[in-house]
Amino acid sequence: MQLITRHNRTWAAVLLVLTALVCVLLAQQFLSMRVEEPIYPGPGVTEQRMLSDWFPGIKDTAADTPVYVLQGEQPGNSMLVLGGTHPNEPAGQLSAVLLIENAQLSVGTLYVIPRTNNSAFTTTDPQEGAPMRFTIDTPNGERWFRFGSRATNPVHQWPDPEIYVHASSGQRLSGSETRNINRSYPGRPDGTLTEKASYAIAEMIRKENIDITIDLHEASPEYPTINAVVAHEDAMELASWALLNMQMEGMDIMLEPSPKNLHGLTHRELGDFTDTYAVLMETANASQGRLRGRTNEALVVEGKDKFYVRAAQYGRLYVPFDENGHPLNERVARHVTGILQFAQAYNDLGLGAIAIDNMPTFTQINENGVGAYLNAPGE
Amino acid sequence: MLYVYLVLVALLIVNIVWNMLREKDVFVQVDAALVLVPLILRLLLIK
Amino acid sequence: MKRFTRILALVLALAAITAVMSAETAYTFRTSKEERVVTENGEFTADLIVDPVLITSIGQSADVSMLDALMKKVGATYTFDPIAPAEEVAKYKTVIIASGASSKGLGAAGISQEQETARAEAIMKTVEENEITVILAHLGGPGRRGALSDTFSDMVLGKFTDFAAEKEIPITLLATIADAMTVLKDLFAPVAQ
């Protein structure tokens, strides 16, 4: 079908003006994702630093990100919690925020990074139809959080290569994985923005002698490594002990060894290139799965999806999935419980001392909701 | 490499606008306008 | 008529596929929230255990690490070697084998599936020749019941409630891995934690 006119230049001018208007409107939407959600540190936070303090190469870049330090009254060992490695896996970020706003250390030091891939929070993944934000009800009103992308924003690191070659191992992956921070460890000081970010984290672990590193993730219900802990071989004993403790608290959770031939992940590379006990935790997130229905805020927060219920009935999933779904409350409860049990296991095994107090239990988070433990604005 | 790609995007935008002004079929002009949106946003490093 | 036949065949095929996919498993879970440990065909008692004891894995899933943690928690005395070869197994009187396949585990241990299969065959020959007591521990739950895992379990003893019923040997079923502590405490001298 054609519409031929003699006034083509006029039409072109009109369309260009409309294009400019659309660009302005869209730009407002996209740039709004660069506004950071507020976090209100609790009394346990003794210091707030930036990741660039340990590697100045990321200063004034999108990779720089806040690090919250909770130092205990008594000296002891240390733990690092990485939330927001993949910002489309919100339980990781929210669990980190819960620690920042509630935890108090009596022994040792806790480092928390709520937005590990800070750049990835500024965009969503293309063609996923994901919401930009979600809200959590709290007794003091709504708190909002961004729902970001799995990878660094392409406007911060572009173009992607055809093939991504992992620097230290030579492993070859799809070019888009160059922006996945969890394929970039241990990083490089002169690498891409994503590699610099992971290098900064590795430097922080080495310089602070961080004893345990826990990377918080989520996965789609059809993914086999789910409701699981993946542990580096050096951390296997610690992880086993922690898992038993979690099971005694009513959590059904599996243990997987970190594969030696898959490179770039925290549980492999941080275990190999630093002295930290490196583990990763996964929970079930329907909003990032391939079988999901409408991707909206409700799916992110409530975790209910009728298509996943049907898939579960067909035996196609690796987690149980019924009409109750897997709400964010349950997922955050699992992560928080895991973190606390890792600290407890570390003590029980006589490896060192770290004591994290004032955190809600698995049952409390499930029953009262995450919002009950988020601080009021300005608190 | 980033600047090379930005120059490529800029050239593409100029090319599309140039063709839009010369195109006589309005529907094709609309298509061109649609294509311009993501290119402009990428040139400005917004999206 | 030909088209009708084709459509009918397609509908029947789709119905059959749906029926297969919707079919419920025949297995009935014995354990529950109220009854977390269920033992059938006899009891697990301490006289089953003869020192020295070895814990090993067939399949190299991380479940063997869980078993190690459980044994530590109950204060048992044992040797832990997930990749023990048959000649090493021969030195023990009781072997607890954690069965369950994991490609990640095999890769982490630097073992191929073929090598693990050969090792399993050699171990089972050794335990038979030396009259070593074998306890099969499958702790991975339904998630650790793929084809390879089941093959390894069959190589050790057999799959699970059906095999135990047929051979009339004790089997304990657990609601969670942590519940294994109840059984292990009965088997090994309880020690204050």
Side-chain angles (χ1 to χ4, degrees), chain A residues 41-47 68-72 99-105 110 357-358:
Chain A
V45 174
T46 52
E47 205 180 354
Y68 294 82
V69 184
L70 293 81
Q71 188 157 6
L99 283 170
I100 293 164
E101 299 194 1
N102 291 276
Q104 294 185 24
L105 276 274
L110 178 65
D357 304 319
N358 203 44

Side-chain angles (χ1 to χ4, degrees), chain A residues 134-149:
Chain A
F134 61 95
T135 54
I136 302 286
D137 289 329
T138 82
N140 303 296
E142 278 185 347
R143 288 273 301 267
W144 65 271
F145 297 89
R146 286 172 292 176
F147 186 89
S149 163

